[in-house]
Structures are given as structure tokens and as C-alpha cells.
Amino acid sequence: MVGVDAAWQSLRHSPVQPAPWIALAQDYAAAGLSWQAGYAARQAVRLDRALAGRLDALGIGAWREAAAGDAGLGRAV
């Protein structure tokens, strides 16, 4: 998970740039963490919609759906 750590460090310095979010999505996808990868992918697309096709190529499932994976985070249960 060294790549994930580096990606988060990069995000600390430039959270409004899509590149660190893409790197994080790639690292999470490589680690088999699909909902985390989807979250990072959605953040990257919020910053640059043109990246959607590139993120589709990562094969992280239904990352475009807001209800996928991390939808329950922050909700009272």
C-alpha cells in the first residue's frame, strides 16, 4: 500500500488537481479495493470530466454510480 500512501501525500499538497486522485484510484484498484477506487475516481471526474474514459479503463466496476460502494459513508444508521 506504499502507492496509496504516496498518493494521499500528494493529495495533501494539491487536492484540487485530478492527477493525485487518478493515482489513488489506480493504486486502490490494483489493491482490489474497488469502492475506494470508485470514490477516488469520482473525485477526479469532479475536477475534470474529460477523465471519465480513462478511469473506465481501470475496470473498477460501477464507479460512476453515486450509490455504489461508499454511499453509506457518513450516514447515520
Side-chain angles (χ1 to χ4, degrees):
M1 298 286 278
V2 173
V4 171
D5 292 339
W8 277 109
Q9 288 297 323
S10 181
L11 276 170
R12 172 189 272 177
H13 300 291
S14 56
V16 295
Q17 298 299 317
W21 287 108
I22 293 169
L24 187 60
Q26 290 170 325
D27 292 339
Y28 277 142
L33 301 170
S34 61
W35 76 260
Q36 292 91 336
Y39 173 81
R42 285 190 297 281
Q43 299 308 312
V45 169
R46 285 182 183 166
L47 297 168
D48 185 351
R49 293 202 180 274
L51 296 170
R54 179 176 172 192
L55 292 161
D56 281 336
L58 293 178
I60 52 177
W63 69 270
R64 291 177 184 247
E65 296 178 26
D70 63 330
L73 291 176
R75 289 187 180 172
V77 203

